[in-house]
Amino acid sequence: MSSKNWQADKRHWMHPWTHFDSFEEEGSLMMARAKGARVWDEQGNSYFDAVGGLWCTNIGLGREEMAETIAEQVREMAYANPFVDISNVPAAQLAKKLAELAPGDINRVFYSCGGSTAIDTAFRLVHFYQNCRGRPHKKHILARKGGYHGSTYAAMSITGKSGDKIPEFDYIQDSIHHLSCPNPYRAPTGMDEQQFCDFLVEECKQKIADLGADNIAAFFAEPILGSGGVIVPPEGYNRRIWELCQDNDILFVADEVVTAFGRVGHWFASEDLFGVQPDIITCAKGLTSGYLPLGATLFSDRIYEVISTGDADRYFASGYTYSGHPVACAAALKNIEIIERENLLERVVEVGAYFEQRLQTLRDLPLVGDVRGKRFMMCVENVADKSTRQLLPDELNIGKWISDRAESNGLIVRPIVHLNVMSPPLTMSRAEVDFVVEQLGAAIEHAYHDLRREGLLPSPRKLIA
């Protein structure tokens, strides 16, 4: 049954990543309210949101104290001009708190409105820094295939996810280079994880040699690749690539838009999980748990010292009307307070280990080729042949087949072609873990039997490991 809201949405709102034909036919699933990890559609159907909105509802939705904090700040001061020499109290307090939480000498904060703008700011900052230090030739950027960094012009150009690089859009192509995706499940035949890591490091060394270290400005990398398939790189990979960057005077930009603020059990994953001290960290999503839009580009005192000295007339000619928005910053401060007070980082470590363990049981199902991820950032990859890891045809969109069947059982998981991705609120309990795994497993089996019945799968012999 379609409502007036459904019709208005279908007629007027072009959503991010709209697929025109299917949207015209089916429209949207209209959500009406949410509490904790549950959302309700307009018809009153309830769903457990194992996607966490979009990697972001870390503390859960509908918290009264967040609503009160936001309302209080609106009454006190809803907006303040952030340009040049005007500031506001919540933005200053949040900058101090982020500096305390960030690793090493990352003590400087530039605010934006989300993850994409945080990446674009990092991109501009990198070039600004290289120019200020008298290295104008250091303009090239290294990134990875499969990496996702956002949808603004520079961010999507740095993105290496082929499915998002559609030909109707234009991208920066002459100065951005993508190395192999560090996905152990898709390593070349015959390579174990250590050999694959060596291969990736050697590839990076060769690219630096080919371009010349004097021409490379920065390496952009998610500690764990998110939308590209929840890919945890081989053991030692992140650290070794960072060391290569250190040795070759290349800035290391850690895109922690997804991994920061508890997603994998730490405020930031780079140093705590992988022993990497970035020069720049981008964050958003879990910074406010989705209550209000806010992004931040955090960077080192070393970078600030270079860009802020040497020319008395220099200024950073970049920014946003809503940089350091006082209401968004107040929400972020309250969000961080809740994460600390409720020990949610420790909870993610404990319950996340159970989540990983329970999801591994899905490997026995037909279609499931790989189960991977870390704590509250997990993924199931579906394949046509478990032994060869051959994928089903892209146009079949198996992830959507499965997510549609999960939704009918009250579970929301994110479909990305061959994948089903999960990033639930950090408050998820063990009982809720059981619900997610049971309903996802049932949806996979349901999809398998539907596809078999319609003759869309190979013979059963090829689907059993």
Side-chain angles (χ1 to χ4, degrees), residues 320-343:
Y320 307 94
T321 299
Y322 298 123
S323 292
H325 194 287
V327 185
C329 290
L333 284 164
K334 177 57 68 172
N335 176 65
I336 292 170
E337 176 194 318
I338 290 169
I339 293 173
E340 289 180 321
R341 187 180 71 232
E342 297 186 3
N343 299 315

Side-chain angles (χ1 to χ4, degrees), residues 88-110:
N88 67 79
V89 172
Q93 292 177 340
L94 178 60
K96 181 176 183 292
K97 184 64 176 180
L98 292 174
E100 292 171 357
L101 296 175
D105 67 339
I106 293 184
N107 292 309
R108 305 288 175 165
V109 179
F110 189 94

Side-chain angles (χ1 to χ4, degrees), residues 257-269:
V257 169
V258 171
T259 53
F261 302 101
R263 176 60 48 205
V264 289
H266 301 277
W267 291 111
F268 297 97

Side-chain angles (χ1 to χ4, degrees), residues 224-427:
I224 299 172
L225 284 71
S227 294
V230 189
I231 295 162
V232 182
E235 181 74 26
Y237 166 86
N238 282 334
R239 172 82 185 189
R240 291 174 67 185
I241 295 294
W242 171 72
E243 288 172 347
L244 266 182
C245 291
Q246 296 290 294
D247 293 342
N248 288 279
D249 190 26
I250 298 169
L251 292 176
F252 192 96
V253 182
D255 180 349
E256 295 223 34
V257 169
V258 171
T259 53
F261 302 101
R263 176 60 48 205
V264 289
H266 301 277
W267 291 111
F268 297 97
S270 295
E271 183 183 55
D272 289 341
L273 273 183
F274 300 108
V276 168
Q277 173 59 60
D279 300 290
I280 300 172
I281 297 177
T282 59
C283 55
K285 296 191 184 289
L287 175 56
T288 65
S289 286
Y291 278 82
L292 287 173
L294 182 65
T297 303
L298 319 180
F299 60 102
S300 68
D301 285 333
R302 290 167 287 120
I303 291 175
Y304 187 83
E305 183 177 352
V306 169
I307 66 176
S308 64
T309 59
D311 184 347
D313 294 325
R314 181 183 298 150
Y315 61 100
F316 192 69
S318 181
Y320 307 94
T321 299
Y322 298 123
S323 292
H325 194 287
V327 185
C329 290
L333 284 164
K334 177 57 68 172
N335 176 65
I336 292 170
E337 176 194 318
I338 290 169
I339 293 173
E340 289 180 321
R341 187 180 71 232
E342 297 186 3
N343 299 315
L344 291 182
L345 302 185
E346 293 83 353
R347 180 188 187 87
V348 169
V349 172
E350 178 191 347
V351 180
Y354 182 66
F355 192 28
E356 292 179 36
Q357 173 193 336
R358 289 284 283 116
L359 279 172
Q360 290 298 329
T361 63
L362 300 183
R363 286 183 177 275
D364 295 334
L365 296 177
L367 299 181
V368 175
D370 193 26
V371 177
R372 57 178 178 261
K374 193 76 172 173
R375 294 170 182 160
F376 278 27
M377 185 178 179
M378 298 297 296
C379 172
V380 173
E381 179 169 342
N382 305 288
V383 297
D385 190 313
K386 292 161 76 83
S387 60
T388 65
R389 305 180 184 182
Q390 177 186 347
L391 293 170
L392 291 153
D394 286 359
E395 57 270 21
L396 188 61
N397 202 2
I398 182 60
K400 188 68 165 61
W401 275 72
I402 292 168
S403 69
D404 284 349
R405 284 146 186 81
E407 281 177 18
S408 68
N409 294 331
L411 172 67
I412 294 176
V413 293
R414 185 181 179 189
I416 307 178
V417 192
H418 307 284
L419 313 175
N420 290 110
V421 168
M422 290 149 282
S423 51
L426 312 187
T427 55

